[in-house]
Amino acid sequence: MKDFKADVVVEYKGKVITPNQIKLLKSLQKTKSQNEASKLLNINPSSFNIQLKRLEKKLGVKLYYSTPNGTILTEDGLKILEIYEFSKKRLNNKFFTVSGFVSGEIAKILFENPIITSFDNALKLLKLNFVDILGVDDSYWVFRLNDERFLKSEIGNFDINIFLVVYDHFVMVSKKEFDYKNLVGVRYSSHRIVYNILKKEGINFKVKIRTKNPFKAIELVNEGYSLFLNESLLKYVDDNLNIEYPKFYEKTIHAINFISLNREIKIDKDYIKKIKKLGFKYECI
């Protein structure tokens, strides 16, 4: 079937999953029915079920479960398809680029089809050897990646080349008056810098809720939380929200890094101009 072409072999739990086995999962994800999925693949339902059971036995995990709304893939089943899609994209791209949400604003200019996600997901992709270029929203993680004890036991040695550093600041976003004791925090961001500044300034604060996604954090501001937001993301803030520049604005400057793994990358001057238009200060290496 054309819709279920699967010519990429992936590994999961140390076991090889064949293209035909990927087709089983893709068809089941689409139809939520083993009977309908077997029709799409032109095999009988009993054969479909037997093959699915064999795959579960090989991997030692449950791949699907039944609900009133149909047959649904488990987390393991969805993860296998995610790995497959990433593998397929990697074959079709000169560089496989993964960025955090803030660095993603730049990645969209520099590279074709970047993956923009939370940094914990980026680390998972790094462990799977899917990453050629990594946009890092918090320079703390560049330090961690350079630590030979971190990740290298899992993915082997690699050369980290920092080829672009840009700088951003934080601003204050709220629906009414900014409330330091009702903050929304963004995991894997540079919020730790703001928190350290608040401590030094003697400002009492409390993070009431956390999310991995700054865009979700902006939504939560509409529910009454206050947010320190990267200035480069202000274009995503609704007009009904208040924006303030903290008195310690200059102290909130922080680096956003782009690194390549075992590759040499050059940035064209025209791209630098576009990066500046986004509001970033930059340093080309």
Side-chain angles (χ1 to χ4, degrees), residues 139-158:
S139 55
Y140 162 79
W141 287 101
V142 177
F143 169 77
R144 290 295 306 275
L145 290 171
N146 272 305
D147 185 344
E148 64 181 14
R149 297 166 297 179
F150 184 71
L151 286 184
K152 293 191 178 182
S153 62
E154 299 176 61
I155 65 175
N157 291 321
F158 50 83

Side-chain angles (χ1 to χ4, degrees), residues 55-105:
L55 181 58
E56 284 187 326
K57 185 176 181 180
K58 178 167 77 170
L59 299 176
V61 298
K62 187 73 175 172
L63 294 174
Y64 66 94
Y65 59 94
S66 298
T67 75
N69 296 319
T71 303
I72 308 298
L73 292 182
T74 63
E75 269 191 41
D76 286 294
L78 292 172
K79 187 65 178 178
I80 291 168
L81 291 185
E82 183 181 17
I83 293 170
Y84 165 75
E85 293 298 334
F86 281 132
S87 299
K88 191 167 66 170
K89 285 182 180 180
R90 183 177 174 83
L91 289 175
N92 294 331
N93 284 282
K94 184 177 180 182
F95 297 124
F96 195 79
T97 305
V98 179
S99 286
F101 292 105
V102 181
S103 54
E105 296 296 296

Side-chain angles (χ1 to χ4, degrees), residues 166-211:
V166 301
Y167 297 95
D168 202 1
H169 288 82
F170 280 101
V171 296
M172 302 157 65
V173 183
S174 60
K175 191 169 186 179
K176 295 181 180 179
E177 185 176 353
F178 193 89
D179 187 352
Y180 289 96
K181 294 186 177 180
N182 192 35
L183 297 178
V184 51
V186 181
R187 293 188 177 96
Y188 298 96
S189 75
S190 291
H191 267 175
R192 60 183 180 79
I193 293 172
V194 175
Y195 302 152
N196 287 334
I197 293 171
L198 292 176
K199 291 174 184 176
K200 290 178 181 178
E201 295 285 327
I203 299 173
N204 292 324
F205 69 95
K206 187 174 182 62
V207 180
K208 287 287 188 70
I209 190 171
R210 287 183 170 85
T211 179

Side-chain angles (χ1 to χ4, degrees), residues 105-118:
E105 296 296 296
I106 298 168
K108 286 184 285 189
I109 291 176
L110 297 179
F111 305 106
E112 191 175 343
N113 299 321
I115 301 297
I116 299 172
T117 185
S118 61

